[in-house]
């Protein structure tokens, strides 16, 4: 099977967001894999809360959710033009923007909503709804394109390791890194898939291996701490991950633990691929030191499934993203193409800025 004739119905079963015309329904990712529950959100602050609480998560998906959040906020606004509406909507936009700090897709989607609003006339509410729909549809198309581009880098018969969840659950569908893996499996290039647990929230254990199971893709879960041992074994030729922000010099913020995978991959001669739509590229941020890294409640480290596992009084630190320096990255794949050995010059040529 070639990249151009992947059966997307066969390889893409899960949808994290559903716009009903009156509400945004989100597949609650806090309770997967054992409960598959869509929850309806009717207002923008409720959507901001859902993003903050990880009901919906993954950089592209939170951007799309925020765009629909703006559409919901618009329901409470009476205005004769887009510019007038924008003034009234600005506080809601800022609350959406503040719901999570690291993934640039959130600010990117809100900037797109502001831009169309600024030039809209009396039909500004329909304009907003069309734009949110376009953001979602373009993300799905970008993922399918990246799947083909990324898979083409992988030699037939390869093994891959992925981290966190970058699949349909984290996007409009198909996924970024997991899209490459779907395409690579469909084409027979990938014959072994490994996924990390991704402590402490367990996106890999709870979401990625479940999502792959929905597509009948065989995957093996490993403890985060087993990664070096696995890469040393020769079973893996590519580590394939997503991104929350790609800086002007090619540094990449992604789920905590990504940087140590890149270091180990380089040590053992395993290639390292970052897959993300161009909405994740942030040319305005020069390098990884400038990225705000989200820190979440240390309680995530102190208990498992609601039961405390750590002695009372112990302190914990819970940064949930890290920065992989561009020098450790072999390829960045966006829907615009493949950038090998990214650095500031190549990023400028490829992504402008
Ligand atoms: O905290 P999360 O689960 O939102 O973090 C998600 C990641 O780090 C993903 O790798 C990234 O957003 C890319 S998702 C296509």
């Amino acid at each position: 099977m070639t990249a151009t004739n992947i059966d997307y119905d066969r390889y893409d079963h899960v949808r994290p967001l559903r716009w009903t015309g009156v509400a945004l329904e989100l597949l609650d990712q806090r309770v997967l894999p054992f409960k598959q529950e869509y929850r309806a959100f009717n207002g923008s602050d409720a959507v901001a809360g859902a993003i903050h609480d990880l009901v919906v998560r993954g950089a592209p998906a939170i951007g799309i959710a925020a765009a629909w959040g703006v559409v919901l906020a618009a329901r409470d606004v009476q205005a004769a033009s887009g510019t007038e509406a924008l003034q009234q909507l600005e506080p809601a936009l800022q609350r959406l923007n503040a719901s999570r700090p690291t993934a640039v897709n959130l600010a990117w989607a809100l900037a797109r909503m502001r831009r169309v609003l600024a030039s809209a006339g009396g039909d500004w509410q329909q304009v907003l709804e069309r734009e949110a729909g376009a953001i979602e549809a373009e993300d799905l198309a970008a993922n399918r394109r990246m799947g083909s581009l990324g898979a083409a880098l992988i030699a037939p018969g390869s093994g891959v390791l992925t981290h966190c969840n970058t699949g349909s659950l984290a996007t409009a569908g198909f996924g970024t890194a997991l899209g490459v893996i779907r395409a690579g499996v469909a084409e027979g290039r990938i014959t072994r898939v490994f996924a990390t647990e991704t402590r402490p929230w367990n996106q890999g254990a709870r979401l990625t291996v479940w999502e792959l199971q929905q597509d009948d893709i065989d995957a093996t879960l490993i403890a985060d701490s087993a990664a070096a041992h696995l890469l040393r074994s020769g079973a893996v030729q590519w580590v394939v991950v997503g991104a929350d922000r790609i800086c002007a010099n090619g540094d990449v913020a992604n789920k905590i633990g990504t940087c140590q995978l890149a270091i180990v991959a380089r040590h053992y001669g395993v290639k390292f691929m970052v897959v993300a739509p161009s909405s994740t590229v942030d040319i305005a941020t020069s390098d990884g030191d400038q990225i705000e890294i989200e820190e979440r409640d240390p309680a995530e480290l102190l208990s498992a499934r609601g039961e405390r596992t750590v002695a009372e009084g112990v302190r914990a630190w819970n940064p949930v993203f890290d920065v992989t320096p561009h020098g450790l990255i072999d390829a960045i794949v966006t829907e615009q193409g493949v950038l090998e050995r990214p650095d500031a010059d190549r990023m400028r040529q490829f992504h402008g800025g």
Side-chain angles (χ1 to χ4, degrees):
M1 185 183 269
T2 65
T4 45
N5 64 8
I6 288 170
D7 177 356
Y8 291 111
D9 293 330
R10 152 87 175 76
Y11 281 105
D12 187 15
H13 287 126
V14 177
R15 286 292 175 269
L17 309 106
R18 293 194 306 217
W19 174 248
T20 66
V22 289
L24 178 63
E25 293 182 346
L26 298 173
L27 180 58
D28 190 341
Q29 300 195 26
R30 299 168 305 178
V31 298
L32 284 170
F34 297 116
K35 288 188 193 155
Q36 292 165 47
E37 286 174 3
Y38 281 91
R39 295 161 59 92
F41 295 85
N42 300 301
S44 67
D45 284 345
V47 172
I51 294 171
H52 178 267
D53 295 344
L54 308 180
V55 176
V56 61
R57 46 139 303 278
I62 64 179
I64 297 162
W68 288 119
V70 178
V71 175
L72 290 169
R75 300 276 152 95
D76 302 326
V77 170
Q78 307 275 332
S81 70
T83 37
E84 198 186 317
L86 184 52
Q87 273 187 339
Q88 294 185 53
L89 283 169
E90 195 49 44
L93 281 153
Q94 284 179 18
R95 287 193 295 276
L96 282 163
N97 194 46
S99 56
R100 290 195 78 187
T102 304
V104 73
N105 307 62
L106 181 56
W108 171 89
L110 294 172
R112 252 181 90 157
M113 298 301 272
R114 276 195 189 91
R115 207 158 45 238
V116 293
L117 205 47
S119 57
D123 65 343
W124 61 271
Q125 287 198 325
Q126 289 95 302
V127 168
L128 279 183
E129 193 162 334
R130 270 202 303 275
E131 192 66 7
I135 288 172
E136 186 166 343
E138 287 168 27
D139 186 64
L140 180 59
N143 291 338
R144 290 176 172 180
R145 172 96 187 115
M146 292 187 293
S148 302
L149 292 169
L153 301 174
I154 298 173
S158 294
V160 296
L161 170 65
T162 192
H163 187 54
C164 195
N165 172 270
T166 63
S168 301
L169 285 169
T171 63
F174 200 62
T176 59
L178 219 56
V180 167
I181 292 172
R182 284 191 160 94
V185 168
E187 293 171 24
R189 292 171 182 277
I190 296 173
T191 50
R192 294 173 301 283
V193 180
F194 296 90
T196 59
E197 279 183 298
T198 321
R199 287 278 295 145
W201 212 70
N202 286 313
Q203 284 92 334
R206 294 194 305 103
L207 307 178
T208 299
V209 286
W210 172 77
E211 194 184 314
L212 291 172
Q213 195 179 52
Q214 306 312 297
D215 286 5
D216 271 331
I217 293 176
D218 191 41
T220 303
L221 181 67
I222 62 161
D224 296 332
S225 43
H229 186 59
L230 173 70
L231 298 197
R232 181 173 183 261
S233 75
V236 167
Q237 282 60 53
W238 281 90
V239 175
V240 189
V241 298
D244 286 80
R245 195 179 289 247
I246 301 174
C247 301
N249 72 343
D251 289 353
V252 167
N254 190 49
K255 180 52 55 192
I256 192 76
T258 302
C259 179
Q260 65 198 27
L261 289 177
I263 293 168
V264 173
R266 182 57 57 90
H267 183 81
Y268 287 117
V270 172
K271 300 276 193 186
F272 193 88
M273 186 192 307
V274 174
V275 189
S278 52
S279 54
T280 309
V281 176
D282 178 16
I283 289 299
T285 297
S286 59
D287 60 69
D289 291 345
Q290 318 308 319
I291 299 174
E292 183 184 346
I293 298 293
E294 179 181 4
E295 293 186 11
R296 292 187 75 87
D297 190 344
E300 286 181 355
L301 293 171
L302 302 176
S303 50
R305 293 254 156 229
E307 205 167 300
R308 187 148 181 132
T309 50
V310 177
E312 295 296 339
V314 171
R315 248 193 330 275
W317 177 49
N318 189 20
V320 299
F321 297 99
D322 62 21
V323 173
T324 300
H326 61 266
L328 293 174
I329 299 169
D330 292 291
I332 293 180
V333 178
T334 69
E335 76 281 11
Q336 294 168 358
V338 175
L339 181 60
E340 292 189 88
R341 297 180 309 284
D343 62 16
D345 284 343
R346 287 164 182 267
M347 285 290 293
R348 201 173 306 111
Q349 282 162 25
F350 208 80
H351 290 287

